[in-house]
Amino acid sequence: MRLTDNDPWLKPYEERIKRRNEYTYSRERSLTCGGDISLEDFASGHLYYGLHRNEQGGWILREFMPAATEVYLIGDFNDWQLMPVYQLKRINDYGDWEICLSEDVMSHGQHYKLFVKWIGGCGERIPAWCRRVVQDPNTGVFSAQVWAPEEYKWQYNSPSKSNGPLMIYECHIGMSSEEGKVSTYNEFRQQVLPRIAALGYNAIQLMAVQEHPYYGSFGYHVSSFFAPSSRFGTPEELKALVDEAHRLGLRVIMDLVHSHAVKNEVEGLARYDGTRTLFFHEGQRGEHPAWDSLCFDYGRNNVMHFLLSNCKYWLDEFHFDGFRFDGVSSMLYYSHGLGESFTTYADYFNGHQDADAMAYLAIANKLIHKINPEAITIAEEVSGMPGLAAPIEDGGFGFDYRLAMNIPDFWTRLITEQSDEQWSVGHIWYELTNRRSDERTISYAESHDQALVGDKTLIFRMADSQMYWHMARADRNDSVDRAVALHKMIRLATAATMDGGCLNFMGNEFGHPEWVDFPRQGNGWSYDYARRQWSLADNTELLYNDLECFDKSMVQLLTEASDLASSAAELHYQHEDDHVLCFSRGDLFFVFNFAAQQSYTDYELELPRGVYQDILNTDSPLYGGYGLVDQSILHYASCDAEDCKRCRLRLYLPARTALVLRRTDTAPWVETRDAEE
């Protein structure tokens, strides 16, 4: 097995990994009736359940509610009354209910729900498979909406998978406006997508797409899994957003929440047919103690059907290019990973793992890549479970990438717990490159998690209230200078050492001030912190503009480096006392001087022979620096007369500065002269 061959420390657990794989294959065989149907056909529940037009032009509604005794369709078309003519019929022993209606009974835009009776109770329910849910602005009540517009006409294909690194811009539609409001799909498409494309990113990751009752949940308490959130606009407007992103060369990744669901009963799946066990575990196992939500029972075939169909639905219907699976750690362990240290490999194979959840994740990855071989899947997983981003046949789970969640935690600890003089460049290198060699990762210095109220972004931790008064170029101080310099260096070090891709949360590229806090009772339902102040980055008198300019240069440099993705980060030099670090990716050499006060003249580095040109410098005036380095100078690595393999480069390294040098065998002017001759 390749997973254990690549990592001998996994050898003692090889049999358990094989049994895990065998169980996954057995679950897949069970779902596909021993292979009589394809996995893609199995994951087509959204084409059968929910509200659809029938062949006669009327309506047909089907839902799976095995514990229900009576089910009625209610809506504004029948004054929300229980009427025999609108009663669904149970059509099989499995638990399917169905009603067929003529075309004139319901029309586009009308509202509806189900009224369900079960032994010992009854209540209203929004259909689990519905594709459109809206909230009454006056009463706050949610209901399903009949949605049958003209079919959207797609104009652009998804960009092909790039050979370069995946550069992801993490976005939240609602808070993407500078105004204090909930922004829309259309506004994001028109105003924000061009900004992202201009910065050089090649992918966006959309949060909060699935409908959720509480806006302040950041989209992670999902109620209707097949309905794009209506607070941002219509499904067609979301499709237009994806279409435009594809035109701009951006792949679109959806933040997919299959790890848990909101506890709401009317709006969500809780006690959908009168029982909680239709979708979720009973008792404590069915409740997430930290998230106040319900946990899916992946051992139930109907849950597998529901969630796998959900994956296929978003790929087929909205042309998403893949998913970032949220809360994978919570899925893997009975403990949800809470209170566990995961210090040895035994912690991953001690019997506390959910075999059904692991099977679901592997099967979901297999399905997604069958539907779209170029699809992107990313695991948000904090425990370090080996094999998440390894192929299933090798003993893994089949994700393309895993998030390097240790990195933002490391930077936060470093900034808050140590003075600059205590920083260890060796420790920085270790944390940025400490990963499994057989799994690709998405590196990031900070995401939305670090921006939430109660936490702080990196630059806000470093500059704090000084950002309110001293981010103008003409009125900067030492605190802001430090924060701006380290912000660039941290982001460059994180991105340059990536192994697969890098991620940035919307606005962090220019050091967006303060935290993210959605409207809630505790802040007077304010939108002041649930927006993005793009005008700060657009103001050329402010350092925010300089930080954005640096991010643009950095992203474009890394995405255009043809050999970056195929070359490993190679350490060339580290000096703890001097706080100097140097490593390379292909012909790009990255030199960092993390010293707070000490600049170095003619600092000597032993590097490969060649000519080195400074192509990116964090101290450039373009990026809020002081221009202490002359970037027009070419640097030559001269060799010892006794040993031609030992070449030395001498550089001027100002304090808190990073340089990116491109190495060539000959000077550019020599190449030009040869070409002319």
Side-chain angles (χ1 to χ4, degrees), residues 647-659:
C647 299
R648 289 178 172 82
L649 191 72
R650 291 176 175 84
L651 299 170
Y652 174 48
L653 301 179
R656 292 196 183 113
T657 295
L659 314 176

Side-chain angles (χ1 to χ4, degrees), residues 352-426:
H352 298 169
Q353 293 74 39
D354 188 334
D356 291 312
M358 292 191 286
Y360 167 68
L361 291 170
I363 294 171
N365 272 294
K366 183 175 182 178
L367 169 72
I368 292 164
H369 291 107
K370 274 182 170 289
I371 295 171
N372 179 5
E374 293 197 345
I376 300 163
T377 58
I378 305 169
E380 189 245 7
E381 204 278 327
V382 71
S383 78
M385 168 67 78
L388 272 180
I392 299 169
E393 58 271 20
D394 293 348
F397 291 76
F399 284 98
D400 295 298
Y401 306 91
R402 62 189 308 155
L403 287 180
M405 300 185 72
N406 64 299
I407 294 177
D409 291 343
F410 162 71
W411 286 123
T412 298
R413 290 195 310 272
L414 192 64
I415 288 170
T416 57
E417 298 175 5
Q418 295 184 13
S419 66
D420 294 6
E421 291 74 18
Q422 294 175 305
W423 287 20
S424 163
V425 292

Side-chain angles (χ1 to χ4, degrees), residues 218-361:
F218 230 139
Y220 290 115
H221 277 190
V222 174
S223 52
S224 295
F225 285 75
F226 290 85
S229 182
S230 62
R231 55 173 57 85
F232 309 137
T234 68
E236 287 63 45
E237 289 165 348
L238 174 57
K239 292 176 182 179
L241 186 163
V242 175
D243 214 7
E244 176 65 8
H246 288 165
R247 185 187 75 81
L248 293 171
L250 296 165
R251 307 188 82 196
V252 187
I253 302 165
M254 177 178 164
D255 205 344
L256 189 71
V257 184
H258 282 181
S259 50
H260 62 132
V262 72
K263 283 185 173 180
N264 299 36
E265 294 185 4
V266 175
E267 298 91 354
L269 302 176
R271 298 181 70 231
Y272 184 58
D273 65 348
T275 66
R276 198 174 85 175
T277 53
L278 180 61
F279 288 100
F280 310 106
H281 289 289
E282 192 59 270
Q284 284 188 329
R285 190 177 172 191
E287 298 201 18
H288 198 294
W291 297 344
D292 191 33
S293 55
L294 299 178
C295 302
F296 285 106
D297 181 355
Y298 305 99
R300 292 184 60 95
N301 284 358
N302 68 286
V303 171
M304 296 284 276
H305 187 221
F306 184 80
L307 296 178
L308 291 172
S309 297
N310 196 235
C311 295
K312 183 179 179 182
Y313 167 75
W314 292 109
L315 291 172
D316 286 353
E317 188 70 21
F318 289 88
H319 292 200
F320 279 102
D321 299 297
F323 305 104
R324 175 244 196 211
F325 277 71
D326 175 70
V328 170
S329 300
S330 175
M331 301 169 69
L332 293 177
Y333 306 99
Y334 296 139
S335 66
H336 309 296
L338 301 174
E340 298 200 39
S341 58
F342 300 105
T343 55
T344 69
Y345 275 9
D347 296 330
Y348 305 116
F349 304 97
N350 58 10
H352 298 169
Q353 293 74 39
D354 188 334
D356 291 312
M358 292 191 286
Y360 167 68
L361 291 170

Side-chain angles (χ1 to χ4, degrees), residues 445-664:
E446 51 188 345
S447 69
H448 71 274
D449 286 325
Q450 287 71 41
L452 288 171
V453 64
D455 204 341
K456 291 183 179 180
T457 61
L458 289 175
I459 198 166
F460 202 43
R461 283 184 181 276
M462 293 186 286
D464 211 80
S465 61
Q466 298 297 310
M467 293 185 71
Y468 300 136
W469 316 108
H470 298 287
M471 286 295 283
R473 284 206 198 97
D475 188 26
R476 56 205 293 178
N477 63 13
D478 289 343
S479 178
V480 164
D481 272 349
R482 171 182 178 267
V484 168
L486 289 178
H487 188 265
K488 291 177 289 186
M489 295 180 73
I490 287 170
R491 291 176 64 82
L492 177 61
T494 304
T497 52
M498 64 180 161
D499 178 28
C502 197
L503 177 141
N504 165 62
F505 177 62
M506 179 174 68
N508 283 356
E509 70 278 5
F510 65 84
H512 196 284
E514 301 175 324
W515 48 80
V516 174
D517 190 13
F518 287 92
R520 55 187 174 86
Q521 189 173 5
N523 65 16
W525 303 104
S526 170
Y527 285 89
D528 285 347
Y529 301 105
R531 60 193 181 99
R532 295 285 91 176
Q533 300 180 59
W534 304 110
S535 59
L536 296 176
D538 294 338
N539 188 336
T540 56
E541 300 300 315
L542 299 179
L543 293 169
Y544 296 108
N545 176 265
D546 297 343
L547 290 176
E548 184 180 69
C549 288
F550 173 76
D551 192 77
K552 179 177 181 179
S553 296
M554 179 187 73
V555 169
Q556 293 183 347
L557 171 65
L558 296 179
T559 53
E560 292 171 3
S562 58
D563 57 352
L564 185 82
S566 59
S567 59
E570 181 181 353
L571 178 65
H572 292 277
Y573 182 87
Q574 64 182 45
H575 195 293
E576 294 296 344
D577 293 336
D578 293 347
H579 295 89
V580 173
L581 174 70
C582 176
F583 60 89
S584 66
R585 300 292 296 269
D587 285 331
L588 295 182
F589 286 73
F590 302 83
V591 186
F592 294 80
N593 177 13
F594 282 101
Q597 303 293 334
Q598 184 64 54
S599 297
Y600 302 106
T601 301
D602 289 334
Y603 196 87
E604 190 174 275
L605 299 172
E606 187 173 308
L607 296 178
R609 182 176 184 174
V611 182
Y612 292 78
Q613 183 177 13
D614 185 344
I615 58 173
L616 184 66
N617 187 328
T618 63
D619 189 54
S620 167
L622 296 173
Y623 312 135
Y626 288 93
L628 300 177
V629 177
D630 185 349
Q631 290 187 255
S632 67
I633 297 176
L634 294 179
H635 306 278
Y636 295 81
S638 57
C639 301
D640 291 346
E642 298 81 8
D643 186 356
C644 63
K645 292 183 178 180
R646 297 188 64 188
C647 299
R648 289 178 172 82
L649 191 72
R650 291 176 175 84
L651 299 170
Y652 174 48
L653 301 179
R656 292 196 183 113
T657 295
L659 314 176
V660 183
L661 308 171
R662 176 175 282 124
R663 175 192 169 276
T664 56

